[in-house]
Amino acid sequence: MMNIMECKNIQLIKNNQTILHDISFSIEAGDSIGIIGPSGSGKSSLFRLLNLLISPTQGEILYKNRNIRDYAPMELRRSVSYILQKTYLFGTTVQENLLYPYQLLNQKPDFHVIRNYLDKANLSINTLEKKNTALSGGEQQRIALIRSLLIKPEIILLDEVTAALDEENTLLIEKLVTDEQEAHHLTLLFVTHNTSQAKRLAKKILYLDAGAIDFWGTAADYFSLKGERDE
Ligand SMILES: Nc1ncnc2c1ncn2[C@@H]1O[C@H](COP(=O)(O)OP(=O)(O)OP(=O)(O)O)[C@@H](O)[C@H]1O
Ligand SMILES: [Mg+2]
């Protein structure tokens, strides 16, 4: 398996506070990594580093064996897509949001592909004509995710994207992501405070505690160790 991304001895210091220390791990193409740990342990900071929004104080991050600093930020962010809990739709209508990826990639819109994604997300094609404001929070989150997937990223970083959603919407988002993984060998990193979600989606777990790696390994090992500790 090819390492698509590698963190090598990452340290992040801000205002004299060590936010991450000595983080090293490799991400294989097609991985599904659940990132868990207490609030303030550095999960979102790690994503911000992987997305070139901030730079490490020490250490390096490689994407396809090249330091991510050698990529133009916009170019890297097309391949490594960062999706937040509150992802805003832009403009006025859903259609504007789903045509944007085609403009960005300089391609003709493919309504067959768009329709397919809407189907999977349990949304009708008429949703395109709707105003953003006419959509529920869960529907907006599905459209935002589809917008990201249409750009064909190789890695997606999902930062608590389902935290504000009910179970039905959560499972719809999970299905969109796992279908995409199967179809396009997408690599998935996701932050969650939801243990059942981590069990459903993760093949590997990275557990951060106070900015350091407390566990890095298979989800099966993590949950069997956790089970023993909790007993
Ligand atoms: N812009 C910033 N400037 C200074 N400190 C920051 C900044 N952003 C985050 N921090 C600090 O870095 C630490 C890690 O924050 P981070 O947001 O990465 O945690 P998290 O694991 O994502 O937490 P949560 O589960 O609550 O989202 C916290 O102590 C936070 O106060
Ligand atoms: Mg966070």
Side-chain angles (χ1 to χ4, degrees), residues 89-131:
L89 298 180
F90 44 67
T92 313
T93 66
V94 171
Q95 173 143 307
E96 285 171 61
N97 285 273
L98 297 190
L99 294 188
Y100 166 78
Y102 294 96
Q103 290 158 10
L104 185 76
L105 299 172
N106 239 322
Q107 291 171 359
K108 258 181 59 191
D110 187 336
F111 283 94
H112 179 73
V113 170
I114 291 176
R115 184 188 201 117
N116 242 323
Y117 276 117
L118 289 171
D119 274 352
K120 280 188 197 162
N122 220 5
L123 296 164
S124 82
I125 189 82
N126 301 331
T127 312
L128 283 180
E129 312 306 326
K130 287 195 180 167
K131 287 195 171 153

Side-chain angles (χ1 to χ4, degrees), residues 189-217:
L189 276 74
F190 66 98
V191 169
T192 188
H193 288 280
N194 178 338
T195 306
S196 338
Q197 179 165 62
K199 281 186 178 160
R200 285 193 296 270
L201 296 183
K203 295 192 194 96
K204 293 180 187 162
I205 294 284
L206 182 78
Y207 187 96
L208 289 179
D209 192 10
I213 295 182
D214 200 47
F215 179 92
W216 167 235

Side-chain angles (χ1 to χ4, degrees), residues 163-197:
L165 304 180
D166 61 17
E167 182 162 12
E168 188 190 348
N169 276 291
T170 298
L171 295 176
L172 280 168
I173 293 273
E174 288 180 9
K175 182 162 167 34
L176 272 174
V177 170
T178 49
D179 282 358
E180 191 73 10
Q181 249 197 325
E182 276 171 32
H184 300 294
H185 203 57
L186 184 68
T187 304
L188 168 66
L189 276 74
F190 66 98
V191 169
T192 188
H193 288 280
N194 178 338
T195 306
S196 338
Q197 179 165 62

